[in-house]
Amino acid sequence: MLGRTVTVFTAVTVSTALWATPSAAGSGESWRPAVLAALGDSISAGFNACGWYVTCPSRSWSAGEDPAVQSHYMRLLDLDRGALGHNVNLAVPGATSADLAGQVAGAVERRADYVTVLVGAQDACVSEERRMTPVAVYEKRVAEALALFRAGRPGGRVFVASIPDLKRLWRVGKDNLAARGFWAVGRICPTMLARPTSTSPADQARRDRVRDRVAGYNAALARVCAAYGPACRFDGNALFDCPFTLNHVSRWDFFHPNAAGQRLIAQRTFPAVRDWLDEPVLEPELQP
């Protein structure tokens, strides 16, 4: 249910001053974001959620307006009609971690004060294993992108979703003839989904390595978000651990989430930020 085919981080070229946590003293007013921006790849863009190989932002788990999906945007509105006057979807099908900084720049330009980030499936879903983004590179890119957001919108908040488990997609779809056909014809995520019925040790090891790479990306996301401070929330691998089925996957490619899948993502991820509406506004510290 991911974007179409489309080590421990030791050095970040960002001043540590950008990562100072917000002051514990708030303004006394509750947090009410005015602009939500969805950042990431085809999942957040709603690709194949309502049509044949088209984006469907209205069914995005993040910024969508379809009542059937109940996105973060709709859930925030339901909790408080004073929240969120505007939503914007900047996610792009095929985007990787290398594209995140550009999307952040767009969010800053639109004065977003709440952004959701779901990116990384495309870093692993490549033509061959050696082309997968190294974990250290992935982490550096995400850290630098979030640093840009903090610099441009110091009072903003960030939600970071874990990347779904690609191997689970293989597991739930490998015995489905239609799914195998779409994966083969479309060359969808060949690092994980090539030769789906093979039980050879080489193919089993390949799938395990790709899953490990995704797990490495998710560990990197947790570190970056923790370094950002209380204005960032990670889902704690809620999406990676999500027990989705083929009923949550588009029948147009057996890969991207359909409307039910988008709703499931929103359900699994929103609890991580639900309490923000009850918290005071965090005021960023001034740096010397």
Side-chain angles (χ1 to χ4, degrees):
M1 53 188 298
L2 305 158
R4 181 174 185 266
T5 317
V6 226
T7 64
V8 175
F9 180 42
T10 58
V12 179
T13 58
V14 179
S15 167
T16 56
L18 290 176
W19 297 103
T21 58
S23 168
S27 68
E29 299 179 355
S30 297
W31 178 69
R32 292 297 182 270
V35 180
L36 179 154
L39 311 180
D41 56 26
S42 52
I43 300 178
S44 296
F47 189 81
N48 267 3
C50 65
W52 176 265
Y53 280 83
V54 295
T55 58
C56 189
S58 67
R59 290 187 173 178
S60 165
W61 67 273
S62 169
E65 299 177 353
D66 189 328
V69 171
Q70 281 296 294
S71 67
H72 279 220
Y73 177 73
M74 296 298 291
R75 290 168 192 265
L76 286 168
L77 286 179
D78 286 345
L79 289 168
D80 189 335
R81 285 288 163 179
L84 287 172
H86 183 58
N87 59 326
V88 59
N89 197 321
L90 301 175
V92 178
T96 72
S97 58
D99 302 302
L100 187 58
Q103 294 182 16
V104 165
V108 170
E109 181 181 353
R110 290 163 177 79
R111 302 185 63 79
D113 41 21
Y114 176 47
V115 298
T116 67
V117 177
L118 174 50
V119 71
Q122 298 283 29
D123 290 86
C125 282
V126 287
S127 58
E128 49 189 332
E129 280 186 79
R130 67 182 181 85
R131 296 183 181 277
M132 292 193 298
T133 304
V135 173
V137 173
Y138 176 87
E139 186 164 356
K140 182 175 184 289
R141 290 171 175 173
V142 175
E144 291 179 343
L146 294 194
L148 290 174
F149 183 70
R150 163 154 278 168
R153 300 293 293 162
R157 301 194 185 189
V158 181
F159 169 70
V160 179
S162 55
I163 304 159
D165 188 352
L166 290 165
K167 190 174 182 183
R168 179 172 182 84
L169 179 63
W170 164 78
R171 188 178 300 115
V172 301
K174 65 183 177 64
D175 296 324
N176 184 290
L177 181 62
R180 296 199 305 269
F182 274 103
W183 295 348
V185 172
R187 290 188 54 77
I188 296 174
C189 197
T191 44
M192 176 60 73
L193 301 178
R195 299 180 295 281
T197 60
S198 172
T199 59
S200 73
D203 284 322
Q204 292 184 46
R206 167 179 52 84
R207 296 178 197 121
D208 288 341
R209 287 192 298 269
V210 176
R211 187 178 192 272
D212 288 345
R213 183 61 58 93
V214 171
Y217 294 160
N218 286 333
L221 292 173
R223 291 192 293 270
V224 171
C225 197
Y228 196 97
C232 183
R233 294 278 177 86
F234 177 59
D235 73 359
N237 281 325
L239 193 50
F240 180 76
D241 295 333
C242 181
F244 65 87
T245 70
L246 283 187
N247 291 330
H248 299 110
V249 178
S250 171
R251 290 302 190 267
W252 286 305
D253 63 4
F254 286 86
F255 196 68
H256 293 89
N258 56 19
Q262 292 283 348
R263 183 183 180 94
L264 180 63
I265 295 172
Q267 289 175 335
R268 297 285 294 193
T269 59
F270 189 71
V273 300
R274 165 64 181 83
D275 65 321
W276 265 347
L277 286 182
D278 303 322
E279 294 181 356
V281 174
L282 297 172
E283 295 179 348
E285 291 179 348
L286 296 177
Q287 299 301 318

